């Protein structure tokens, strides 16, 4: 996976549902059930079985993403952060389930008038899980390591804005930036910036943090066990132990949940899987939002996509709602730009280049393609991308656009599309929070090059206030949508299935962490 600060989802492939073209548009039919029965708020006790909460319960969580390392600065896949962040390791700041940045190990901070110096005041009484008191020097060492040569952290480049890191006393950390960074506190929520005890052992397999759990056991290829940290400085976890069990495919994971081997799963990857759990009182289905965006991207530096009318025509020939229905049975949300609702600069831009195949033909004619056009679409096959690819092929044909589908493996996509930009169009899933700013980088793989957008992105980062940053990034979101820089399809839902005996798990997938301390189990 590329390590430039972005992440994409890894999906399993299951048998495809049937795709049916309707008369006028590429309407897509589902074999999956489309009801929302059983959906509730995971933060409540709704759906939980009667009985007393067992404070010493073991919670068993199913996941398709096993960490490749326990080293917080070595990146890894999404499972790396899901298991460690907030559970075993904590940062100065934390990104909450509703997308807000709040204090964590830092009880407060002061910012200099020029916005370049942050003075963090550490929370008193915090210790590592081995009982060693947390000191400012530990934080300094962590922040130095995340921007060091050995680091491959996704936020390394962003955090390199740190010019000097000092620990003037045991409870104070002073960070001087090379330039104002309005997103600095957000970048500190990353796994790589989470504080660990240095020299605790081999970083790939040993990690000591300040979080509510310790890593008790890692059976690679099978499970990771977290034990409650009895020395934890904060609120005591609602359970004694959490076991993450890892699966290679969703079917095996679902079977384990059905048979009672699991209490919940971190994410349902297809609505087809839900039919086994619907209308059953012993299971609860919870739907929240996510930052996982499905994109149909153009190489904006390559003809015919250098022409904005061609890009707009493709967007108007795309029935995004039909694609969402095909993949997620009406769960999820159609989006009109690179911004999910949990980002501060979100606006509903879905009316821009709304579905209009007749006008798409007019735009193509205006661009010099009265007889239509054809191009190749590279993509990594998965359950969702196969459905999207076939749906786009059917929909775009109604406007005279022919696409040749070219499925490739992950490594080929990384080399061909991401690194060398040797593509016309591609389908890709982007999972990061607050990733709108990549449209300000003309060297990013879609090669969108707009000087005004680049200026707004740069100004937003050096903005004096969050309000100023938000206003600028709203301009960016609207401009790239008006330019049809990409074809943003929809936002994946966050769907979890759990035994009705458990509650307190997070509803949304808007952070890198899967926070398990509040999960309670009734006996």
């Amino acid at each position: 996976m590329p390590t430039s600060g972005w992440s994409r989802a890894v999906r399993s492939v299951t048998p495809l549902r049937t795709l049916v073209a309707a008369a006028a548009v590429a309407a897509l039919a589902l074999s999956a059930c489309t009801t929302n029965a059983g959906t509730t708020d995971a933060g409540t006790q709704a759906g939980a079985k009667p009985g007393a909460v067992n404070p010493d319960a073991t919670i068993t969580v199913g996941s398709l993403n096993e960490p490749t390392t326990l080293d917080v600065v070595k990146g890894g896949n999404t499972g790396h952060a899901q298991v460690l962040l907030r559970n075993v390791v904590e940062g100065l700041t934390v990104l909450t389930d509703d997308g807000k940045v709040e204090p964590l190990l830092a009880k407060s901070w002061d910012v200099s008038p020029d916005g370049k110096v942050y003075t963090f005041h550490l929370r008193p009484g915090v210790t590592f899980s081995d009982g060693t008191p947390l000191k400012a020097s530990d934080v300094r060492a962590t922040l130095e390591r995340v921007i060091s040569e050995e680091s491959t952290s996704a936020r390394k480049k962003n955090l390199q804005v740190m010019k000097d890191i000092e620990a003037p006393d045991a409870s104070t950390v002073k960070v001087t930036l090379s330039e104002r960074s309005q997103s600095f506190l957000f970048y500190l929520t990353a796994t790589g910036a989470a504080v660990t005890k240095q020299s605790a052992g081999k970083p790939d397999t040993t990690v000591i943090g300040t979080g509510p759990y310790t890593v008790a056991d890692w059976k690679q290829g099978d499970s990771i066990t977290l034990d409650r940290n009895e020395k934890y400085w904060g609120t005591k976890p609602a359970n004694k132990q959490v076991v993450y069990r890892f699966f290679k495919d969703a079917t095996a994971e679902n079977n384990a949940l059905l048979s009672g081997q699991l209490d919940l799963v971190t994410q349902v990857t297809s609505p087809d899987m839900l039919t086994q759990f619907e209308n059953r009182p012993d299971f609860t289905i919870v739907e929240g939002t996510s930052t996982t965006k499905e994109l149909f991207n153009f190489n904006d530096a390559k003809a015919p996509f250098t022409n904005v009318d061609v890009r707009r025509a493709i967007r108007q020939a795309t029935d995004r709602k039909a694609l969402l229905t095909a993949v997620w049975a009406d769960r999820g949300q159609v989006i009109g730009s690179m911004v999910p609702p949990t980002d501060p600069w979100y606006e509903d831009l879905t009316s821009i280049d709304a579905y209009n195949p007749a006008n798409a033909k007019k735009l193509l004619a205006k661009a010099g393609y009265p007889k239509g056009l054809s191009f190749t679409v590279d993509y990594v096959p998965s359950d969702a991308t196969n459905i999207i690819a076939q749906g786009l092929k059917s929909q775009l044909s109604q406007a005279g656009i022919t696409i040749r589908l070219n499925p490739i493996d992950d490594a080929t996509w990384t080399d061909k599309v991401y690194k060398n930009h040797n593509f016309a169009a591609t389908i890709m899933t982007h999972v990061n929070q607050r990733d709108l700013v990549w449209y300000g980088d003309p060297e990013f793989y879609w090669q969108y090059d707009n000087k005004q957008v680049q200026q707004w992105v740069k100004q937003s980062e050096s903005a004096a206030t969050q309000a100023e940053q938000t206003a600028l990034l709203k301009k960016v979101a609207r401009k790239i949508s008006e330019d049809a820089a990409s074809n943003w399809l929809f936002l994946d839902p966050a769907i979890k299935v759990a035994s009705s005996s458990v509650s307190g798990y997070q509803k949304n997938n808007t952070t890198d962490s899967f926070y398990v301390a509040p999960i309670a189990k009734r006996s």
Side-chain angles (χ1 to χ4, degrees):
M1 177 174 290
T3 59
S4 64
W6 78 289
S7 301
R8 47 200 170 91
V10 178
R11 299 178 182 272
S12 60
V13 179
T14 59
L16 291 180
R17 284 159 271 165
T18 305
L19 295 161
V20 181
V25 299
L28 306 174
L30 284 174
S31 62
C33 178
T34 60
T35 67
N36 286 318
T39 301
T40 185
D41 187 338
T44 71
Q45 298 292 329
K49 290 180 178 179
V53 170
N54 178 6
D56 293 326
T58 294
I59 308 297
T60 307
V61 180
S63 173
L64 299 176
N65 296 298
E66 181 177 8
T68 56
T69 178
L70 299 185
D71 191 339
V72 296
V73 304
K74 291 297 177 68
N77 61 14
T78 54
H80 177 259
Q82 279 186 352
V83 172
L84 296 179
L85 190 58
R86 291 194 75 182
N87 297 321
V88 178
V89 296
E90 300 173 313
L92 292 172
T93 58
V94 62
L95 188 66
T96 65
D97 197 32
D98 57 2
K100 296 179 180 178
V101 176
E102 295 183 353
L104 190 54
L105 292 182
K107 67 175 182 179
S108 63
W109 52 80
D110 304 311
V111 185
S112 63
D114 65 359
K116 293 183 179 181
V117 181
Y118 284 73
T119 303
F120 295 95
H121 307 286
L122 300 185
R123 196 179 296 274
V126 177
T127 66
F128 288 104
S129 59
D130 66 353
T132 305
L134 172 71
K135 301 186 295 295
S137 57
D138 298 310
V139 178
R140 181 184 61 197
T142 290
L143 296 183
E144 288 173 344
R145 187 166 183 253
V146 73
I147 58 175
S148 69
E149 289 187 7
E150 70 170 311
S151 172
T152 58
S153 170
R155 291 297 180 186
K156 175 180 178 178
K157 183 176 180 180
N158 303 118
L159 288 168
Q160 284 176 333
V161 71
M162 296 186 294
K163 184 175 68 174
D164 188 46
I165 306 165
E166 302 173 74
D169 58 55
S171 61
T172 307
V173 179
K174 182 179 178 182
V175 180
T176 302
L177 309 182
S178 58
E179 57 187 358
R180 187 195 296 267
S181 172
Q182 190 59 236
S183 300
F184 178 56
L185 295 175
F186 165 72
Y187 296 144
L188 288 176
T189 68
T191 309
V195 181
T196 60
K197 185 176 181 179
Q198 306 299 305
S199 304
K202 187 179 179 181
D204 282 339
T205 54
T206 304
V207 58
I208 294 179
T210 62
Y213 297 91
T214 63
V215 177
D217 186 38
W218 182 14
K219 298 176 181 175
Q220 295 190 27
D222 180 74
S223 63
I224 288 180
T225 299
L226 305 183
D227 283 350
R228 184 167 60 205
N229 175 12
E230 302 297 347
K231 301 181 180 69
Y232 185 53
W233 61 269
T235 303
K236 182 179 179 180
N239 54 73
K240 186 175 183 179
Q241 185 180 77
V242 176
V243 179
Y244 284 85
R245 283 191 56 194
F246 305 110
F247 296 85
K248 298 296 185 183
D249 65 84
T251 300
E253 183 184 53
N254 277 16
N255 288 338
L257 183 58
L258 283 165
S259 63
Q261 299 175 51
L262 302 177
D263 291 304
L264 73 158
V265 296
T266 59
Q267 169 69 14
V268 174
T269 58
S270 167
D272 287 343
M273 302 295 183
L274 296 178
T275 56
Q276 304 167 84
F277 303 100
E278 288 172 328
N279 301 315
R280 291 187 54 168
D282 49 340
F283 291 103
T284 303
I285 300 173
V286 173
E287 178 181 348
T289 190
S290 77
T291 59
T292 303
K293 300 162 286 288
E294 303 294 345
L295 273 64
F296 181 34
N297 285 318
F298 321 120
N299 187 337
D300 292 343
K302 182 176 182 179
F305 305 108
T306 51
N307 190 316
V308 65
D309 287 326
V310 169
R311 303 196 301 263
R312 292 189 61 212
I314 294 171
R315 287 191 78 195
Q316 292 186 25
T318 303
D319 187 345
R320 290 170 283 173
K321 179 63 174 176
L323 293 174
L324 176 62
T325 299
V327 177
W328 282 111
D330 289 326
R331 293 177 169 90
Q333 180 178 346
V334 171
I335 52 176
S337 190
M338 192 69 169
V339 188
T342 48
D343 283 356
W345 32 88
Y346 172 77
E347 287 185 306
D348 184 354
L349 300 176
T350 53
S351 63
I352 298 175
D353 287 329
Y355 181 56
N356 189 339
N359 197 59
K361 292 181 180 179
K362 294 178 182 178
L363 285 169
L364 285 177
K366 177 185 175 185
Y369 299 93
K371 296 182 180 180
L373 56 83
S374 64
F375 55 89
T376 298
V377 178
D378 297 311
Y379 68 102
V380 179
S382 73
D383 201 17
T385 53
N386 285 332
I387 293 170
I388 292 169
Q390 294 295 335
L392 286 169
K393 183 175 182 178
S394 178
Q395 291 178 356
L396 298 185
S397 69
Q398 305 299 314
I401 301 170
T402 301
I403 62 174
R404 297 178 295 274
L405 299 178
N406 182 39
I408 55 180
D409 61 33
D410 205 57
T412 302
W413 188 93
T414 299
D415 186 65
K416 180 182 181 183
V417 178
Y418 183 76
K419 292 182 178 179
N420 294 315
H421 310 160
N422 182 24
F423 74 105
T426 188
I427 301 166
M428 182 45 63
T429 303
H430 284 250
V431 303
N432 291 91
Q433 311 93 1
R434 306 190 184 189
D435 50 5
L436 170 67
V437 295
W438 288 324
Y439 286 90
D441 181 1
E443 296 182 0
F444 200 65
Y445 77 86
W446 46 58
Q447 299 189 97
Y448 174 70
D449 190 354
N450 183 292
K451 298 300 186 291
Q452 179 64 79
V453 166
Q454 292 160 26
Q455 183 180 17
W456 284 336
V457 168
K458 184 176 181 180
Q459 290 173 340
S460 74
E461 189 59 16
S462 60
T465 65
Q466 290 184 358
E468 183 182 342
Q469 179 191 42
T470 297
L472 286 163
L473 290 178
K474 282 184 176 181
K475 288 183 178 182
V476 171
R478 180 171 291 275
K479 180 60 178 174
I480 66 172
S481 188
E482 292 172 345
D483 271 0
S486 295
N487 191 1
W488 305 273
L489 302 177
F490 55 84
L491 192 70
D492 285 358
I495 302 179
K496 298 172 180 65
V497 179
S499 164
S500 296
S501 64
V502 298
S503 59
Y505 43 91
Q506 64 189 48
K507 179 179 180 181
N508 299 324
N509 285 351
T510 54
T511 76
D512 294 330
S513 169
F514 189 77
Y515 186 39
V516 294
I519 301 178
K521 188 173 185 178
R522 294 180 177 269
S523 55

